Amino acid sequence: MTHIDHPVITGAAQRPERIEEHDMHDVGMNMGQLEMSIKQVDDAIALAREWSHTLLHATETYDMERIGGKLETAMGALDEARSALEGYQEAIEADHNAVGTIKLV
């Protein structure tokens, strides 16, 4: 556990290929773990969007306009959320390179 009671997972298994020499930010942030976690968020949003789309088609079959409208609104919000995460890998890499790193030995 870290000083803020959050586990820090380290090791080669979490290191993305792009960050070759260092996987820890100088304040102890595991950049590979961060990237994988954000990808999980992106994947969860994509899954929610896909499921909402499937449900929308089901509501259309039964002329359920009110709930269908809510699903369309939700899908738009999910699209915006995914769009907001576009380029997260490059942002992580840029932040990683801008502040500095430590080499684990």
Side-chain angles (χ1 to χ4, degrees):
M1 297 299 250
T2 67
H3 67 284
I4 53 175
D5 293 330
H6 289 86
V8 176
I9 301 171
T10 61
Q14 289 79 33
R15 184 179 305 146
E17 292 179 16
R18 286 190 337 268
I19 301 173
E20 295 173 8
E21 293 181 23
H22 311 285
D23 67 345
M24 295 289 282
H25 190 273
D26 66 348
V27 294
M29 171 71 74
N30 182 314
M31 303 308 278
Q33 185 68 28
L34 176 62
E35 186 171 341
M36 287 189 326
S37 295
I38 294 173
K39 180 168 180 2
Q40 286 178 333
V41 169
D42 188 49
D43 290 346
I45 295 167
L47 181 61
R49 203 297 185 180
E50 182 180 331
W51 184 239
S52 297
H53 186 247
T54 300
L55 290 173
L56 176 63
H57 286 305
T59 63
E60 290 171 345
T61 300
Y62 296 101
D63 296 323
M64 302 173 80
E65 294 175 9
R66 286 178 288 279
I67 191 62
K70 291 193 175 291
L71 286 167
E72 286 176 342
T73 300
M75 287 169 45
L78 292 166
D79 289 340
E80 286 183 39
R82 288 205 70 208
S83 180
L85 288 175
E86 284 180 7
Y88 73 86
Q89 294 147 323
E90 293 80 11
I92 290 171
E93 179 117 7
D95 286 345
H96 175 73
N97 292 332
V99 179
T101 59
I102 59 172
K103 186 171 185 174
L104 299 177
V105 289

